[in-house]
Amino acid sequence: MALTLTEKLIRAHLVEGECIPGKEVKIRIDQTLCQDATGTMAFLELEAMGVERVKTELSVQYVDHNTSQMGPENPNDHLYLQSVCAAKGVRFSRPGNGICHQVHLERYGVPGKTLLGSDSHTTTGGGIGMLAMGAGGLDVALAMAGKPYKLTFPKVIGIRLTGRLAPWVSAKDVILKVLSILGSKGNVGTSVEYFGPGVATLSVPERATIANMGTELGVTCSVFPSDEATREFLAAENRVESWTPLAADDGVQYARVIDIDLGSLEPMAACPSNPGNVKTVAELAGMKVSQVLIGSCTNSSLKDLRMVAAVLKGRSVSPDLSVGIAPGSRQVLEMLCNEGGLASMIGAGCRILESACGPCIGQGFSPASGTVSVRTFNRNFLNRTGTKNDQCYLVSPETAVATALTGCLTDPRTLDIPYPEWKMPAHFHIDDRMVLLPADGATDIVRKETIGAPPHCTPLPDELDGVILLKAGDKITTDHIMPAGAYLKYRSNIPVYARYVFECFNDAGKPTFAERAAAVRDSGRIGVIVAGESYGQGSSREHAAICPMYLGVRLLLARSFERIHTANLVNFGILPLLFRDADTLEMLSEGAAVRVKNLRDQLRSGGEIHATVVQNGQSEDIVLVNMLSAADVEMVLRGGVLCGD
Ligand code: MIC
Ligand code: SF4
């Protein structure tokens, strides 16, 4: 039988289960990556599991998210991470070495291997033929401990690429086009696989951009074949021995095929405040812009930044806006520096930022209120820039640099400039000295006072008596649940970070969500959240489960949930249930009581769960649906992974 590439990769790592879409499988993980904002908790969890040394082929810890060092919290995390990595057998990529996904692609990505990362954009590795997926920190800690990773065997959508991109149209426009077709919800349990003659026209950095932002579709992974272009990239990284050719079998049947003629694409933009809200740049052209930011794990490769530098050479950015550029890695930065590209950027009036996530995760560069920010990033969720009610547009580097020159959103095809040619360098500049190798034997772990312990959890009672703390709508992202930005530095201190749960829904002068939740918890009842479709979109941050759990939230009712967040809820003992009837959500109100009897029996017998809602002095029965596997049910009942048996 002809196989998809996704299936081949899963079969090659299969530990348990059947390769049937919708069924649970367990696979061996070859490589892991962590970043600092999720890594501290992941390593505290690894320590709590009593793991002496990691069991993977390769594990790397990057410091890229939180490098602002406003106060001792970040540097304390960095010290902890450096020391725990040395002790546990993990490579440590120092701050300044670059964004995890860019560096991992350059230095460690290997076609055919599995990669699990505590960051949702770990999918970037799909650009080099890896089965690369994001997960919560606890799942990555389990993978480092040598445990198989559990996932739903995906249905595979094939995207047949034909033709070649026109000048000024690039990989970002391809993935924005895919987002305009598939949307940013409703794709859970899917793998997106690219095939067809157009694939060969795309270099690895371009494929990586597409695989990176595939995460915004809500899919498990995106996969590209490993071909001549992959070999060329690996050879330029001096790692040609890592190359193996990989492709789906001829004549394979995909669950659905989407045809995209690369030559027919035009510049696209994701409009506020969701990456799935896509329009053509031509439709929006002329809009006044106050800020242009170029970088992030989506668009900060040498290919992207060489093009930007070539366009800026000898020109000036518009005096009406501020332009920031963050090269994705030290490799990109040094090469730009040596080739003179950096001088062109500085000369044009750009502000050069550290090779890190920076503004993408709200670490500075918030736009002025009521103004438009144009970014080459992958997410524009409301308030993620750090400015309330922000207006953030996501575009290609080509559109971004054209906008930087004119001061208003500009279709780059209208620039009277020849499109800079891209050619893969024969050799990238290679210098791995910013990656520290682990120690051979035991070493001390440095744990300063700002680093807390993983949270304490308790079994779920058999009779739930809850209060609806929040009624939310569709597409509630982990940025809504657990803001990053200014609060990112509290990631390793749950009691402090938990104060900001659902901060965006707080009203001035009224008790905060955290205060209301803690009051319910302290009265001996559980907190309940109800929401619409696609709850938990976006990041892998397990804090969006840990912190609500710390505040006593144990029940989440929604019309649908996203993949990584569901796993995080289960890992920390919060029960996610679906509404059987979509309109049940409408009749629920904040403050209502939700009661479930015989929870254990109801969950173990599968299917429907009967509950009672008491509001306005009236009591009404509602029906919920259990979507969890038997193993996950037991995990939630006992209070999560760290709860013990
Ligand atoms: C993001 O882009 O939202 C992040 C910050 O990289 C997150 C991880 C985190 O919250 O630490 C992600 O994508 O998983
Ligand atoms: Fe960093 Fe932004 Fe990429 Fe997340 S999306 S890893 S914050 S650059």
Side-chain angles (χ1 to χ4, degrees), residues 65 99-101 119 121 212 296-297 357 360-361 378-379 384:
H65 276 62
I99 305 175
C100 52
H101 309 304
D119 190 282
H121 293 105
N212 170 285
S296 90
C297 56
C357 301
C360 182
I361 191 56
N378 49 34
R379 287 189 172 141
R384 185 171 156 106

PDB file of all heavy atoms in Angstrom, residues 65 99-101 119 121 212 296-297 357 360-361 378-379 384, ligand 2:
ATOM      1  N   HIS A  65      13.623  33.248  24.446  1.00  0.00           N
ATOM      2  CA  HIS A  65      12.350  33.955  24.635  1.00  0.00           C
ATOM      3  C   HIS A  65      12.491  35.135  25.579  1.00  0.00           C
ATOM      4  O   HIS A  65      12.028  36.222  25.317  1.00  0.00           O
ATOM      5  CB  HIS A  65      11.294  32.990  25.195  1.00  0.00           C
ATOM      6  CG  HIS A  65      10.609  32.189  24.139  1.00  0.00           C
ATOM      7  ND1 HIS A  65      11.283  31.311  23.336  1.00  0.00           N
ATOM      8  CD2 HIS A  65       9.317  32.139  23.745  1.00  0.00           C
ATOM      9  CE1 HIS A  65      10.407  30.756  22.491  1.00  0.00           C
ATOM     10  NE2 HIS A  65       9.227  31.243  22.730  1.00  0.00           N
ATOM     11  N   ILE A  99      17.134  32.057  17.900  1.00  0.00           N
ATOM     12  CA  ILE A  99      15.807  31.509  18.189  1.00  0.00           C
ATOM     13  C   ILE A  99      15.851  29.994  17.988  1.00  0.00           C
ATOM     14  O   ILE A  99      16.388  29.500  16.986  1.00  0.00           O
ATOM     15  CB  ILE A  99      14.744  32.139  17.273  1.00  0.00           C
ATOM     16  CG1 ILE A  99      14.776  33.666  17.388  1.00  0.00           C
ATOM     17  CG2 ILE A  99      13.363  31.598  17.591  1.00  0.00           C
ATOM     18  CD1 ILE A  99      13.842  34.394  16.438  1.00  0.00           C
ATOM     19  N   CYS A 100      15.271  29.267  18.938  1.00  0.00           N
ATOM     20  CA  CYS A 100      15.401  27.807  18.956  1.00  0.00           C
ATOM     21  C   CYS A 100      15.140  27.160  17.594  1.00  0.00           C
ATOM     22  O   CYS A 100      15.946  26.350  17.117  1.00  0.00           O
ATOM     23  CB  CYS A 100      14.491  27.200  20.024  1.00  0.00           C
ATOM     24  SG  CYS A 100      12.759  27.701  19.956  1.00  0.00           S
ATOM     25  N   HIS A 101      14.056  27.534  16.929  1.00  0.00           N
ATOM     26  CA  HIS A 101      13.684  26.822  15.693  1.00  0.00           C
ATOM     27  C   HIS A 101      14.664  27.104  14.563  1.00  0.00           C
ATOM     28  O   HIS A 101      14.989  26.216  13.777  1.00  0.00           O
ATOM     29  CB  HIS A 101      12.253  27.185  15.290  1.00  0.00           C
ATOM     30  CG  HIS A 101      11.293  27.030  16.425  1.00  0.00           C
ATOM     31  ND1 HIS A 101      11.169  25.839  17.101  1.00  0.00           N
ATOM     32  CD2 HIS A 101      10.461  27.904  17.034  1.00  0.00           C
ATOM     33  CE1 HIS A 101      10.283  25.993  18.079  1.00  0.00           C
ATOM     34  NE2 HIS A 101       9.851  27.235  18.063  1.00  0.00           N
ATOM     35  N   ASP A 119       7.593  24.040  22.500  1.00  0.00           N
ATOM     36  CA  ASP A 119       7.230  25.277  21.828  1.00  0.00           C
ATOM     37  C   ASP A 119       6.415  24.887  20.607  1.00  0.00           C
ATOM     38  O   ASP A 119       6.804  23.980  19.858  1.00  0.00           O
ATOM     39  CB  ASP A 119       8.475  26.053  21.394  1.00  0.00           C
ATOM     40  CG  ASP A 119       8.089  27.433  20.926  1.00  0.00           C
ATOM     41  OD1 ASP A 119       7.603  27.559  19.778  1.00  0.00           O
ATOM     42  OD2 ASP A 119       8.239  28.393  21.708  1.00  0.00           O
ATOM     43  N   HIS A 121       5.954  26.055  17.732  1.00  0.00           N
ATOM     44  CA  HIS A 121       6.549  26.164  16.391  1.00  0.00           C
ATOM     45  C   HIS A 121       7.699  25.198  16.129  1.00  0.00           C
ATOM     46  O   HIS A 121       8.442  25.358  15.151  1.00  0.00           O
ATOM     47  CB  HIS A 121       6.944  27.619  16.109  1.00  0.00           C
ATOM     48  CG  HIS A 121       5.738  28.492  16.000  1.00  0.00           C
ATOM     49  ND1 HIS A 121       5.367  29.362  16.996  1.00  0.00           N
ATOM     50  CD2 HIS A 121       4.770  28.553  15.046  1.00  0.00           C
ATOM     51  CE1 HIS A 121       4.232  29.951  16.645  1.00  0.00           C
ATOM     52  NE2 HIS A 121       3.841  29.479  15.478  1.00  0.00           N
ATOM     53  N   ASN A 212       6.667  26.128   9.828  1.00  0.00           N
ATOM     54  CA  ASN A 212       6.582  26.879  11.083  1.00  0.00           C
ATOM     55  C   ASN A 212       5.158  27.371  11.309  1.00  0.00           C
ATOM     56  O   ASN A 212       4.524  27.085  12.325  1.00  0.00           O
ATOM     57  CB  ASN A 212       7.561  28.062  11.010  1.00  0.00           C
ATOM     58  CG  ASN A 212       7.415  29.054  12.143  1.00  0.00           C
ATOM     59  OD1 ASN A 212       6.477  29.840  12.165  1.00  0.00           O
ATOM     60  ND2 ASN A 212       8.326  29.018  13.098  1.00  0.00           N
ATOM     61  N   SER A 296      11.564  36.867  13.963  1.00  0.00           N
ATOM     62  CA  SER A 296      10.815  35.748  14.545  1.00  0.00           C
ATOM     63  C   SER A 296      11.215  34.444  13.888  1.00  0.00           C
ATOM     64  O   SER A 296      11.849  34.422  12.836  1.00  0.00           O
ATOM     65  CB  SER A 296       9.288  35.924  14.473  1.00  0.00           C
ATOM     66  OG  SER A 296       8.786  35.369  13.275  1.00  0.00           O
ATOM     67  N   CYS A 297      10.774  33.335  14.495  1.00  0.00           N
ATOM     68  CA  CYS A 297      11.161  32.027  13.970  1.00  0.00           C
ATOM     69  C   CYS A 297      10.554  31.748  12.609  1.00  0.00           C
ATOM     70  O   CYS A 297      10.940  30.802  11.932  1.00  0.00           O
ATOM     71  CB  CYS A 297      10.790  30.927  14.958  1.00  0.00           C
ATOM     72  SG  CYS A 297       9.046  30.920  15.401  1.00  0.00           S
ATOM     73  N   CYS A 357      13.465  36.031  20.344  1.00  0.00           N
ATOM     74  CA  CYS A 357      12.047  36.206  20.018  1.00  0.00           C
ATOM     75  C   CYS A 357      11.618  37.660  20.164  1.00  0.00           C
ATOM     76  O   CYS A 357      10.805  38.163  19.395  1.00  0.00           O
ATOM     77  CB  CYS A 357      11.194  35.357  20.942  1.00  0.00           C
ATOM     78  SG  CYS A 357      11.563  33.605  20.844  1.00  0.00           S
ATOM     79  N   CYS A 360       8.111  39.469  19.316  1.00  0.00           N
ATOM     80  CA  CYS A 360       7.131  38.442  18.956  1.00  0.00           C
ATOM     81  C   CYS A 360       6.401  37.940  20.196  1.00  0.00           C
ATOM     82  O   CYS A 360       5.247  37.545  20.122  1.00  0.00           O
ATOM     83  CB  CYS A 360       7.822  37.293  18.222  1.00  0.00           C
ATOM     84  SG  CYS A 360       6.666  36.032  17.719  1.00  0.00           S
ATOM     85  N   ILE A 361       7.089  37.964  21.341  1.00  0.00           N
ATOM     86  CA  ILE A 361       6.432  37.517  22.562  1.00  0.00           C
ATOM     87  C   ILE A 361       6.281  38.689  23.550  1.00  0.00           C
ATOM     88  O   ILE A 361       6.352  38.547  24.764  1.00  0.00           O
ATOM     89  CB  ILE A 361       7.130  36.246  23.139  1.00  0.00           C
ATOM     90  CG1 ILE A 361       6.321  35.594  24.240  1.00  0.00           C
ATOM     91  CG2 ILE A 361       8.576  36.473  23.524  1.00  0.00           C
ATOM     92  CD1 ILE A 361       4.926  35.222  23.831  1.00  0.00           C
ATOM     93  N   ASN A 378       4.355  35.201  13.257  1.00  0.00           N
ATOM     94  CA  ASN A 378       3.344  34.193  12.948  1.00  0.00           C
ATOM     95  C   ASN A 378       2.045  34.348  13.745  1.00  0.00           C
ATOM     96  O   ASN A 378       1.093  33.632  13.501  1.00  0.00           O
ATOM     97  CB  ASN A 378       3.912  32.783  13.149  1.00  0.00           C
ATOM     98  CG  ASN A 378       4.611  32.643  14.485  1.00  0.00           C
ATOM     99  OD1 ASN A 378       4.185  33.253  15.464  1.00  0.00           O
ATOM    100  ND2 ASN A 378       5.653  31.847  14.541  1.00  0.00           N
ATOM    101  N   ARG A 379       2.049  35.226  14.744  1.00  0.00           N
ATOM    102  CA  ARG A 379       0.838  35.356  15.559  1.00  0.00           C
ATOM    103  C   ARG A 379       0.486  36.820  15.752  1.00  0.00           C
ATOM    104  O   ARG A 379       1.375  37.632  16.023  1.00  0.00           O
ATOM    105  CB  ARG A 379       1.041  34.715  16.938  1.00  0.00           C
ATOM    106  CG  ARG A 379       1.059  33.223  16.825  1.00  0.00           C
ATOM    107  CD  ARG A 379       1.048  32.516  18.157  1.00  0.00           C
ATOM    108  NE  ARG A 379       0.876  31.111  17.886  1.00  0.00           N
ATOM    109  CZ  ARG A 379       1.485  30.127  18.543  1.00  0.00           C
ATOM    110  NH1 ARG A 379       2.288  30.394  19.562  1.00  0.00           N
ATOM    111  NH2 ARG A 379       1.260  28.882  18.207  1.00  0.00           N
ATOM    112  N   ARG A 384      -1.118  40.704  22.088  1.00  0.00           N
ATOM    113  CA  ARG A 384       0.158  39.986  22.180  1.00  0.00           C
ATOM    114  C   ARG A 384       1.347  40.937  22.028  1.00  0.00           C
ATOM    115  O   ARG A 384       2.450  40.664  22.517  1.00  0.00           O
ATOM    116  CB  ARG A 384       0.195  38.893  21.111  1.00  0.00           C
ATOM    117  CG  ARG A 384       1.420  37.976  21.179  1.00  0.00           C
ATOM    118  CD  ARG A 384       1.248  36.812  20.216  1.00  0.00           C
ATOM    119  NE  ARG A 384       2.514  36.241  19.811  1.00  0.00           N
ATOM    120  CZ  ARG A 384       2.994  35.078  20.238  1.00  0.00           C
ATOM    121  NH1 ARG A 384       2.316  34.349  21.083  1.00  0.00           N
ATOM    122  NH2 ARG A 384       4.161  34.631  19.816  1.00  0.00           N
TER     123      ARG A 384
HETATM  124 FE1  SF4 B   2       9.702  32.910  19.622  1.00  0.00          FE
HETATM  125 FE2  SF4 B   2       7.748  34.141  18.381  1.00  0.00          FE
HETATM  126 FE3  SF4 B   2       8.728  31.933  17.395  1.00  0.00          FE
HETATM  127 FE4  SF4 B   2       7.267  31.836  19.617  1.00  0.00          FE
HETATM  128  S1  SF4 B   2       6.578  32.442  17.599  1.00  0.00           S
HETATM  129  S2  SF4 B   2       9.228  30.770  19.227  1.00  0.00           S
HETATM  130  S3  SF4 B   2       7.876  33.762  20.570  1.00  0.00           S
HETATM  131  S4  SF4 B   2       9.828  33.858  17.626  1.00  0.00           S
END
